[in-house]
Amino acid sequence: MKLGTKFGMKPGLRPGLRIGFQSLEGRIATLFLFLIIVLQVVGLVVIQNGIDNSARNAIATELSNGEKVLRKLIEQNAQKRRFSAQVLARDTGFVQAVGNDDSGDQETIRSALDNSARRARASLTMLVDGNRKIKVSSAGAGQPELDKLVLSLLDQAEQNDGASGTAVVGGRPYQVIVTPVKAPITIAWVVMGFAFDAQLARDMKELSALEVAILARGADGAWQPVETTVAPAETAQIAQQLRQNLSRTFDVTLSDSRYSARMVDIGPAGEGRASVMLARSIEAAVAEYARLQRSLVLLTVIGIIAGAVASVVTAKRIAQPLRELAGVAHRLERGDYRAQKGFERTDEIGALAKAFDSMRDGIAKREQEIRRLAYWDTLTNLPNRAQFVMLLGEALLQARRHQSSVYVLMMDLDRFKHVNDVMGHNFGDALLRQVAGRLQLQVVQAHPEAHIARLGGDEFAVLIPDADMHTVKTIAAAILHALEQPMSLDDQTVDIGAGLGIAGYPAHSDDAEALLSMAEVAMYTAKQRNDGAVYYDALIDKSSANSLSLLTELRNAIERNEFRLHVQPKMKLDTGEVVGIESLVRWVHPERGNVFPDEFIPFAEQTGFIRVLTRWVLEQSAALCRDLAAQGIDLKVSVNLSTRDLLDQDLPNKFSEILKRHQVSPASFCLEITESAIMDDPVRAQQTLERLHAMGVDLSIDDFGTGYSSLAYLKRLPVDELKIDKSFVLNMENDIGDTKIVRSTIDLGHNMGLRVVAEGIESEAVWRLLAALGCDQGQGYFMSRPIPGDKLAAWIAGWVPPVRSPLPYVAAIE
């Protein structure tokens, strides 16, 4: 045999290629190597971005500090120049000349101004008389901006003995100094103007190491460089790029080098006529980190090489023992159990091999444990509901044979939920165990043949066969008295009580579930009235007068085929494709006509008849699913389960028989349960759900968001779907709060890997909004009301999804 044929390859392929790319060892090595490369590259990119950001931040800090230095430098220059102006303003001869009005004194004034300007290196001078009119000016006429600035500074100069500002004269910014001339009152003002020149730019660059450009805005609104510290060729580039940048901080390119620049306004307040641009080379700032970047690249390469070697070695260490164990498993499959004895290892693989030896014994032990979990309450070691119903059925059978009586006492603890919430679940569990002990002590002493069971939560039941009413009342009184006594746990004393209901055969019913239901009705009446023990009476039943015969009518409805299966289609919201249906039951009563589900479903749940009704819906849904598949229509059928269904440990077996009878795959079904149904008895509910999920059935949390279950518990459930309650969907197009809740639920479901379905869609707008939020599927009156199951195929053939259209208001919820 050729090597390629031996390994199951097509002729012409080399065995090494198949082993390298298709074996577990090759996939592990490839995966590890891929992850290492991704991590190294991502790390390098992140660090590189960090370096760039650090450089940018450093540049921003330098520019900010440079702005402070510039303003300080301008202020220092203003102080020095103000002193020069004050020397002139306080000169006695100058003051006398200013006080005279003849023309000769004006020449003296002009001469004094020119001499002082040469000494102070001022570019222009001016004298404003006491009437605030310009008397002498070296700037010439036609300088409105300068005149306006000077006049605005006169009052400030008089109060502070001097003032300064900035004006643009002849396309160049000037620092203007105004000083009052007093004799002793203010009789005039001396004005000196100093151009922002190249010396200022050089001083600024020397202090801050930044490139500097002094700018003035021309008549066309464009910035024109006046003085710069860069080369003349780059000055033209500055002017050109400033036309494209209007922000305060921006990037410029000078001689193929990138600079980060900041505009510092030095002109008159609010006018933006004069500015100084400070610039820092980005390349020079990043160059400080170049050595670190080279080191990081080198470390990345080394890390990838080391990771590749480590991944290959790790893959071999994982795959080789698995190959050996696979050979052992094949020998076990052929019945060669001796193969396990020769496989000895001390690691996890060895532990797995030893597990084969104990598997046979473990199966028998697990069967025994499953039986115990199915019929016994693990917390109190009392019979659970399933076993209690069996015991009650046997007791009723014996009572009918011997014409005796059977009584059921059901009780629910008062204030237990409050104790559980305040003291914690461990304390609550201990309290339930102590209650169970007290019940056994009181009941067994009074009637040794009685049975006690924990039905779930804080509900207990007592079965008393072959007893009279006096004995039953005595036992009930003893139970209530025992429960009224304070209970001490962990140095805590707890006072609880109970509401107790009594129902019996033959007075009330000969059906086990009906007796339990009647005892439950009496129990809740006792709790409402705070009446201790209440004996069942038809008058206290919460249902209508017709409810007394409703159980019989429901059974007859099954036999007379009065129930009808209706379905409501479920669509993909992004395409409108029909992908599933929800099965619903309708009752066509021969006398009442159409009976609404709200009128008989709650009663069915209360009496336990809901289990029979659920089996009918499952049976009809499986038949419909088979008929649709024969027509080429493959849909996932959703069926609701009640609390009592979840507590039925035999439900998975019954459902499996239905699927086999109709030759339908479990994957064709999705069973919906509510949060409240799960939380009534979480342990038993989870056991039932895990068995259903193991069959391949999808599970859905119905009416999600209306219950009070914890996410910590829900995430442990083997569910595949979340169904958003219609109360959040109906008005979500008009209520942003509902929309946010729906969006959060969709995100939560997707983050948990679940399919999300919305019910209650009654408009196209809601459909589109849900689709935009990423909801997977939906159902509602907008698509279709519930229709008879036999008309579904025709409806699907005529279904036309609405035309896709954008939703302009979807962004409003972001």
Side-chain angles (χ1 to χ4, degrees):
M1 181 182 293
K2 294 183 179 180
L3 185 61
T5 305
K6 180 178 179 180
F7 281 88
M9 299 190 312
K10 295 181 180 179
L13 292 178
R14 290 184 297 166
L17 288 175
R18 182 181 187 276
I19 294 175
F21 292 100
Q22 298 183 11
S23 67
L24 177 62
E25 178 181 333
R27 289 196 294 271
I28 292 175
T30 303
L31 176 61
F32 281 6
L33 182 58
F34 173 76
L35 292 177
I36 290 171
I37 292 175
V38 168
L39 288 175
Q40 292 288 340
V41 171
V42 168
L44 182 62
V45 171
V46 170
I47 294 174
Q48 180 64 47
N49 288 337
I51 291 174
D52 292 342
N53 290 335
S54 297
R56 284 282 185 177
N57 292 336
I59 291 173
T61 301
E62 289 185 41
L63 292 176
S64 178
N65 292 335
E67 180 179 351
K68 296 177 183 178
V69 171
L70 174 64
R71 296 194 183 278
K72 189 67 175 178
L73 184 59
I74 293 174
E75 179 62 25
Q76 289 177 352
N77 288 341
Q79 292 292 338
K80 291 189 295 184
R81 291 162 177 173
R82 189 180 300 169
F83 177 76
S84 298
Q86 289 173 347
V87 171
L88 176 60
R90 294 171 183 173
D91 183 80
T92 304
F94 181 76
V95 172
Q96 291 177 352
V98 170
N100 297 326
D101 292 332
D102 57 28
S103 58
D105 287 335
Q106 286 188 6
E107 291 301 323
T108 302
I109 292 170
R110 187 181 302 277
S111 176
L113 287 173
D114 292 341
N115 292 333
S116 181
R118 282 193 296 272
R119 289 193 300 271
R121 297 182 179 178
S123 301
L124 57 87
T125 57
M126 183 182 296
L127 179 68
V128 179
D129 62 15
N131 295 323
R132 299 177 181 258
K133 294 183 179 181
I134 299 174
K135 190 172 183 180
V136 178
S137 175
S138 64
Q143 301 294 337
E145 181 178 339
L146 176 61
D147 298 346
K148 179 181 177 181
L149 175 64
V150 169
L151 294 176
S152 67
L153 292 176
L154 296 182
D155 291 335
Q156 181 182 352
E158 184 174 1
Q159 294 175 2
N160 301 326
D161 200 26
S164 62
T166 302
V168 177
V169 180
R172 174 182 290 273
Y174 284 80
Q175 186 176 43
V176 178
I177 306 298
V178 179
T179 301
V181 179
K182 297 182 179 181
I185 63 173
T186 300
I187 59 174
W189 288 267
V190 173
V191 180
M192 290 187 177
F194 301 86
F196 285 88
D197 54 10
Q199 185 61 43
L200 175 65
R202 288 192 296 271
D203 291 344
M204 182 60 199
K205 181 175 182 180
E206 184 177 345
L207 291 171
S208 63
L210 299 175
E211 298 295 345
V212 181
I214 301 174
L215 309 170
R217 193 184 294 274
D220 58 354
W223 289 107
Q224 296 297 329
V226 177
E227 298 289 349
T228 68
T229 59
V230 300
E234 297 173 347
T235 301
Q237 296 178 5
I238 293 175
Q240 181 179 2
Q241 295 184 53
L242 284 177
R243 294 189 180 94
Q244 304 171 1
N245 293 284
L246 301 177
S247 59
R248 186 167 182 264
T249 302
F250 54 92
D251 289 350
V252 296
T253 302
L254 303 177
S255 299
D256 298 329
S257 296
R258 296 286 295 171
Y259 285 79
S260 181
R262 171 176 295 193
M263 297 288 285
V264 181
D265 188 11
I266 60 172
E271 296 185 8
R273 295 285 309 279
S275 292
V276 173
M277 186 188 78
L278 304 178
R280 177 71 164 94
S281 172
I282 298 176
E283 286 80 0
V286 175
E288 301 174 5
Y289 300 94
R291 182 176 180 182
L292 176 59
Q293 290 176 318
R294 289 192 294 271
S295 299
L296 288 174
V297 172
L298 179 60
L299 288 175
T300 300
V301 174
I302 295 174
I304 291 175
I305 295 173
V309 175
S311 64
V312 172
V313 174
T314 303
K316 287 184 177 294
R317 290 179 61 84
I318 294 175
Q320 183 60 33
L322 292 179
R323 291 196 190 99
E324 298 177 10
L325 189 57
V328 174
H330 286 306
R331 289 193 290 272
L332 289 175
E333 183 183 7
R334 294 193 299 267
D336 185 4
Y337 299 103
R338 295 172 299 175
Q340 299 174 9
K341 299 179 180 179
F343 193 86
E344 296 181 358
R345 295 177 64 96
T346 59
D347 57 6
E348 290 82 357
I349 303 298
L352 180 61
K354 293 178 182 178
F356 279 89
D357 292 329
S358 59
M359 183 171 56
R360 182 175 55 252
D361 296 335
I363 291 175
K365 293 179 180 179
R366 285 193 296 275
E367 287 289 340
Q368 184 178 2
E369 180 67 13
I370 290 173
R371 184 176 298 275
R372 186 183 72 84
L373 293 174
Y375 294 103
W376 293 88
D377 178 57
T378 57
L379 181 63
T380 61
N381 288 325
L382 293 176
N384 61 12
R385 186 185 187 93
Q387 186 178 171
F388 187 82
V389 172
M390 293 174 54
L391 293 172
L392 179 56
E394 295 173 359
L396 289 172
L397 180 61
Q398 293 296 324
R400 284 192 290 268
R401 289 178 181 175
H402 299 91
Q403 296 184 353
S404 59
S405 60
V406 175
Y407 288 92
V408 174
L409 279 65
M410 184 179 293
M411 67 205 71
D412 182 269
L413 302 181
D414 297 333
R415 299 178 297 279
F416 176 75
K417 185 178 185 302
H418 177 71
V419 172
N420 208 31
D421 292 341
V422 173
M423 306 301 294
H425 292 288
N426 291 335
F427 188 91
D429 292 345
L431 180 62
L432 291 175
R433 284 191 291 268
Q434 191 169 125
V435 169
R438 289 194 179 186
L439 290 176
Q440 287 179 308
L441 181 63
Q442 296 297 326
V443 174
V444 173
Q445 286 181 353
H447 200 291
E449 296 180 3
H451 298 279
I452 308 169
R454 179 180 174 230
L455 303 184
D458 59 346
E459 286 188 359
F460 292 84
V462 179
L463 169 63
I464 307 176
D466 195 19
D468 55 23
M469 193 60 192
H470 176 73
T471 303
V472 172
K473 290 183 177 180
T474 302
I475 294 175
I479 291 174
L480 292 174
H481 179 73
L483 294 180
E484 287 172 357
Q485 303 303 313
M487 296 188 181
S488 298
L489 289 170
D490 299 335
D491 298 328
Q492 298 286 339
T493 300
V494 179
D495 290 322
I496 63 170
L500 193 148
I502 304 172
Y505 166 83
H508 301 124
S509 177
D510 60 353
D511 180 78
E513 291 288 356
L515 274 180
L516 275 175
S517 176
M518 293 171 180
E520 185 176 16
V521 170
M523 176 192 71
Y524 283 120
T525 302
K527 290 179 70 68
Q528 291 174 359
R529 297 177 180 175
N530 197 20
D531 210 8
V534 172
Y535 191 70
Y536 177 79
D537 190 319
L539 296 177
I540 65 173
D541 200 329
K542 296 180 181 179
S543 304
S544 65
N546 293 332
S547 65
L548 294 176
S549 60
L550 190 56
L551 182 60
T552 301
E553 292 182 0
L554 286 172
R555 288 175 175 165
N556 293 336
I558 290 285
E559 298 173 359
R560 298 171 184 172
N561 196 27
E562 295 175 3
F563 290 112
R564 299 289 184 268
L565 182 70
H566 281 55
V567 295
Q568 187 173 38
K570 297 167 67 174
M571 290 81 175
K572 282 186 175 180
L573 295 182
D574 56 346
T575 64
E577 177 188 0
V578 181
V579 294
I581 56 175
E582 181 178 3
S583 295
L584 305 169
V585 63
R586 296 292 184 266
W587 185 8
V588 182
H589 195 279
E591 296 177 2
R592 303 183 190 179
N594 292 327
V595 182
F596 292 104
D598 291 342
E599 296 180 18
F600 66 91
I601 294 295
F603 182 83
E605 292 179 345
Q606 184 183 31
T607 59
F609 186 79
I610 192 67
R611 296 183 179 180
V612 178
L613 198 56
T614 299
R615 286 198 297 272
W616 183 89
V617 174
L618 291 173
E619 192 84 38
Q620 298 300 317
S621 299
L624 177 61
C625 186
R626 177 198 60 203
D627 295 340
L628 291 174
Q631 302 176 52
I633 303 174
D634 294 322
L635 302 176
K636 187 176 288 292
V637 183
S638 298
V639 178
N640 289 281
L641 296 183
S642 69
T643 303
R644 292 182 181 268
D645 293 322
L646 288 179
L647 298 180
D648 183 4
Q649 298 294 305
D650 201 33
L651 176 64
N653 295 332
K654 297 174 184 175
F655 187 37
S656 178
E657 292 173 3
I658 293 174
L659 296 176
K660 291 179 182 178
R661 186 159 52 250
H662 294 280
Q663 298 180 347
V664 176
S665 169
S668 300
F669 272 78
C670 177
L671 300 181
E672 298 181 0
I673 61 268
T674 62
E675 297 177 71
S676 57
I678 298 171
M679 298 311 297
D680 279 354
D681 193 339
V683 175
R684 292 181 62 190
Q686 184 160 358
Q687 292 171 357
T688 302
L689 293 176
E690 288 177 349
R691 291 175 60 193
L692 289 170
H693 194 265
M695 294 169 52
V697 179
D698 279 3
L699 298 175
S700 173
I701 300 295
D702 195 12
D703 299 338
F704 184 78
T706 61
Y708 299 93
S709 56
S710 67
L711 292 176
Y713 175 74
L714 288 179
K715 73 177 183 181
R716 299 198 301 269
L717 295 176
V719 297
D720 309 273
E721 179 184 279
L722 286 185
K723 198 168 185 181
I724 305 173
D725 186 71
K726 64 181 180 181
S727 62
F728 302 117
V729 176
L730 287 173
N731 197 37
M732 63 180 294
E733 64 176 311
N734 301 317
D735 190 331
I736 190 66
D738 285 346
T739 304
K740 291 180 179 179
I741 292 174
V742 171
R743 179 176 60 181
S744 300
T745 304
I746 293 172
D747 292 342
L748 172 65
H750 287 166
N751 290 337
M752 296 175 67
L754 305 179
R755 181 173 63 249
V756 182
V757 179
E759 62 179 349
I761 302 175
E762 295 189 2
S763 67
E764 183 176 354
V766 173
W767 172 318
R768 298 305 180 198
L769 184 54
L770 287 167
L773 293 176
C775 187
D776 303 306
Q777 299 176 16
Q779 65 186 89
Y781 284 179
F782 173 70
M783 300 86 149
S784 172
R785 291 177 175 268
I787 58 177
D790 55 1
K791 297 182 179 179
L792 178 63
W795 183 91
I796 293 176
W799 163 248
V800 178
V803 179
R804 296 179 63 87
S805 61
L807 280 178
Y809 54 86
V810 170
I813 66 174
E814 295 299 327

